[in-house]
Amino acid sequence: LSSRSDTSAKKMGFDLGADDYVQKPFEAEELIARIKTRIKQNKATMENLPSFESKGLKVDFVGHRVFLNDKEVGFSALEFKLLSFFIRHPDRVLARDKILTSVWGETFVSDRVVDSHIRTIRKKLGPFKGHIESIYGEGYRFNPSPLSQGNSSDSDDEEKTAA
């Protein structure tokens, strides 16, 4: 959002990484419509990714394979589905019940089964386990680029997720 209307200001905004440029004054309905459009575009992009890569971690959605520093690591179908769900919803806190519904579907298992599977995934991810963050009292969040790899331990996870 800017009050500047000159072309050079708009160009600079886009050069700096802006997805859109809205000049003041603007109508709230227009801003809301632009935001909704960007959310839809981002969601469609994340759902159609053929793979995810981040500093040594690669997840091939098409081939259902996970690589750590170019070495393939075996994941069960459910573990892969759970990891994929996290990657496709980056930087979003996901409650256990949302994870259960989205990954397991309609089921009558305890929401703590999520904790068990995440613990297993973190062990398999080894130094990349820091991508899956525990959010105390809420659930989990996938951080596409954690500050330090492997910044949480399994014992910390149990304490953090106990709510």
Side-chain angles (χ1 to χ4, degrees), residues 1-45:
L1 303 175
S2 177
S3 60
R4 294 185 60 185
S5 61
D6 55 294
T7 305
S8 63
K10 292 178 184 180
K11 182 183 179 311
M12 183 175 66
F14 287 115
D15 288 345
L16 291 172
D19 290 324
D20 203 352
Y21 191 96
V22 180
Q23 184 180 329
K24 296 178 188 178
F26 59 88
E27 295 293 327
E29 294 83 17
E30 178 187 0
L31 180 61
I32 291 168
R34 287 174 182 264
I35 292 170
K36 285 181 179 179
T37 298
R38 293 292 176 207
I39 290 171
K40 285 180 195 174
Q41 290 171 342
N42 188 41
K43 184 176 179 183
T45 300

Side-chain angles (χ1 to χ4, degrees), residues 137-148:
E138 296 295 325
Y140 297 95
R141 172 178 52 217
F142 182 80
N143 184 345
S145 53
L147 293 175
S148 62

Side-chain angles (χ1 to χ4, degrees), residues 73-114:
V73 177
F75 274 67
S76 72
L78 188 58
E79 291 165 350
F80 186 84
K81 189 175 179 181
L82 183 56
L83 180 61
S84 298
F85 178 72
F86 275 113
I87 292 171
R88 292 178 192 276
H89 298 89
D91 295 320
R92 191 177 307 166
V93 177
L94 301 166
R96 286 179 194 84
D97 59 339
K98 170 71 174 166
I99 297 168
L100 272 176
T101 303
S102 299
V103 176
W104 276 262
E106 293 298 321
T107 184
F108 297 103
V109 297
S110 164
D111 62 355
R112 293 299 178 171
V113 74
V114 173

